[in-house]
């Protein structure tokens, strides 16, 4: 169990913005910008790939709505949705969470160091086929 389960249960205070049967959302305690919010499933899973279809669907249904409200409340017109999985990917709290991070007029928000590579056609074909195969097998 992580600190987020305690937040869901109200044992640790938070600035809640949304709650339903499967989903809870609240303001991040160390915001990158004004309005930085976290959307989490009530289901206690560490990473997104472990999440049930039911929780995933519930988050998918409300995430755009919460984004709209955060944007309207802050006046921001751009934002990032960030979802970290694993320490190497900057995850600190091992309960699935989606960050909504407004890009505000003062320039605050998510900084991205995007070092892109090149997808070689043969490698791309093989990799896509392997992923599709795993998906078809129900993984
Ligand atoms: P991660 O790096 O795991 O994707 O991000 C975890 C986020 O949870 C961080 O942005 C951090 O500020 C936030 N956080 C950690 N503990 C608390 C807390 O007790 N309350 C709130 N509201 N946010 C928290």
């Amino acid at each position: 169990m992580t600190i987020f389960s305690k937040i869901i249960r109200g044992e640790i205070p938070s600035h809640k913005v949304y709650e339903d049967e499967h989903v809870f959302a609240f303001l991040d305690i160390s915001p990158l910008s004004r309005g930085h919010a976290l959307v989490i499933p009530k289901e206690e899973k560490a990473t997104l790939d472990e999440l049930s279809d039911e929780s995933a669907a519930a988050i998918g249904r409300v995430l755009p709505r919460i984004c709209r409200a955060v944007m309207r409340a802050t006046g921001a017109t751009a934002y990032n949705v960030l979802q970290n999985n694993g320490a190497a990917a900057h995850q600190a709290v091992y309960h699935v969470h989606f960050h909504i991070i407004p890009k505000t007029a003062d320039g605050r928000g998510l900084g991205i160091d995007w070092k892109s590579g090149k997808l070689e056609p043969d490698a791309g074909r093989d990799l896509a086929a392997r992923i599709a195969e795993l998906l078809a097998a129900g993984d």
Side-chain angles (χ1 to χ4, degrees):
M1 195 220 291
T2 72
I3 198 162
F4 287 176
S5 292
K6 293 182 179 168
I7 287 176
I8 291 168
R9 291 206 295 261
E11 293 167 14
I12 290 176
S14 72
H15 293 290
K16 179 171 84 171
V17 302
Y18 179 84
E19 182 173 14
D20 66 28
E21 187 186 350
H22 298 291
V23 181
F24 193 94
F26 55 105
L27 297 182
D28 195 296
I29 203 166
S30 304
L32 289 179
S33 58
R34 184 169 173 266
H36 184 168
L38 299 172
V39 181
I40 67 178
K42 290 187 174 175
E43 186 179 14
E44 291 178 341
K45 295 293 184 191
T47 55
L48 186 62
D49 48 284
E50 297 175 345
L51 206 57
S52 68
D53 284 356
E54 192 178 31
S55 286
I59 285 184
R61 201 161 42 237
V62 295
L63 191 54
R65 249 192 280 159
I66 300 172
C67 289
R68 280 196 291 276
V70 169
M71 292 312 106
R72 286 192 66 182
T74 59
T77 53
Y79 64 101
N80 295 94
V81 172
L82 177 70
Q83 204 282 310
N84 300 328
N85 299 280
H90 205 280
Q91 185 175 15
V93 178
Y94 287 86
H95 182 129
V96 173
H97 51 281
F98 290 77
H99 297 258
I100 299 172
I101 309 169
K103 202 73 173 170
T104 44
D106 57 5
R108 293 180 61 88
L110 179 68
I112 301 179
D113 183 13
W114 191 291
K115 294 193 179 76
S116 57
K118 186 176 186 314
L119 183 65
E120 299 298 342
D122 287 354
R125 186 194 58 235
D126 292 351
L127 182 58
R130 176 65 182 140
I131 295 169
E133 183 184 292
L134 288 167
L135 285 167
D139 274 16

